[in-house]
Amino acid sequence: MELKNQEIFKSNFEAQELWLRNQMLKINAIGQNSFQDLDRTARDYQKLTNEGDIFIRPCDLTHFLRMNLSADGVKKLAGSLRIAKHRKSTSTYQFNITEANRSKLWLLAKQTGKTQAEILNQMIVDLESDSVTV
C-alpha cells in the first residue's frame, strides 16, 4: 500500500479501527472497492479479530491495512481520518442570533475573508474573562 501522506496513518488508530469495522460490515455490498481481494481480506480480518483481544493492536491494524487496502481504500481511509481529526478539534453549536447580528456577522466575514466561525472564535479569544458578565 503506497501512502502519499503517511503521517495521517500514524495516529488515531481508534478512528482507523472504526473505519475498518464499518467497511467489513459492508464488505459484500455492491461496489465495495476498498480492498484488493475480498476473500483474503475477510480471512485476514477474521484472524485479526479472533485473537481474543478487545482492541486490535496498532501494529496489527497497520499491517492489515497495508496488505489489504486498495488504492481507493487508502483514499477513503485518509479522507475519513482527516474528517475525524477535524471533528475531534472542533465542536458544532446551534444557537439563535438576531437578524441584525447575523447580518453584521455576514458582513464581517465578507470584509475580512474569514469564515463566520473563525470570527466568532477570535472574538471569544479576544474577550477578557473579567469583562464578561453573566
Side-chain angles (χ1 to χ4, degrees):
M1 170 173 78
E2 293 296 320
L3 305 176
K4 289 182 184 177
N5 183 2
Q6 290 192 6
E7 289 302 312
I8 197 162
F9 294 98
K10 292 181 180 178
S11 62
N12 202 352
F13 293 103
E14 297 85 13
Q16 291 184 51
E17 186 175 344
L18 179 63
W19 181 88
L20 176 59
R21 289 183 192 282
N22 288 334
Q23 293 303 306
M24 294 309 296
L25 289 174
K26 38 187 179 172
I27 194 167
N28 295 319
I30 297 171
Q32 174 58 270
N33 58 356
S34 295
F35 303 106
Q36 296 173 19
D37 180 334
L38 297 181
D39 292 330
R40 187 185 78 202
T41 298
R43 284 191 311 270
D44 289 352
Y45 184 74
Q46 187 68 29
K47 289 178 190 174
L48 186 67
T49 56
N50 275 343
E51 304 261 329
D53 295 330
I54 295 174
F55 300 104
I56 300 172
R57 294 183 337 193
C59 61
D60 293 336
L61 179 63
T62 300
H63 178 73
F64 176 89
L65 294 173
R66 285 188 185 280
M67 298 305 293
N68 292 291
L69 281 186
S70 65
D72 285 341
V74 171
K75 290 176 188 175
K76 289 177 183 180
L77 176 56
S80 292
L81 292 175
R82 284 188 196 96
I83 290 169
K85 181 179 179 182
H86 175 73
R87 286 182 179 166
K88 193 173 187 178
S89 65
T90 62
S91 296
T92 302
Y93 288 94
Q94 184 174 7
F95 58 91
N96 295 325
I97 186 170
T98 65
E99 184 62 29
N101 286 336
R102 189 195 61 76
S103 296
K104 290 176 187 176
L105 182 59
W106 178 84
L107 187 59
L108 258 173
K110 186 175 178 184
Q111 291 172 344
T112 62
K114 294 182 177 182
T115 66
Q116 293 179 8
E118 289 171 331
I119 292 169
L120 291 172
N121 280 320
Q122 189 60 52
M123 290 172 71
I124 292 169
V125 168
D126 290 345
L127 283 174
E128 293 180 8
S129 61
D130 59 358
S131 68
V132 177
T133 57
V134 180

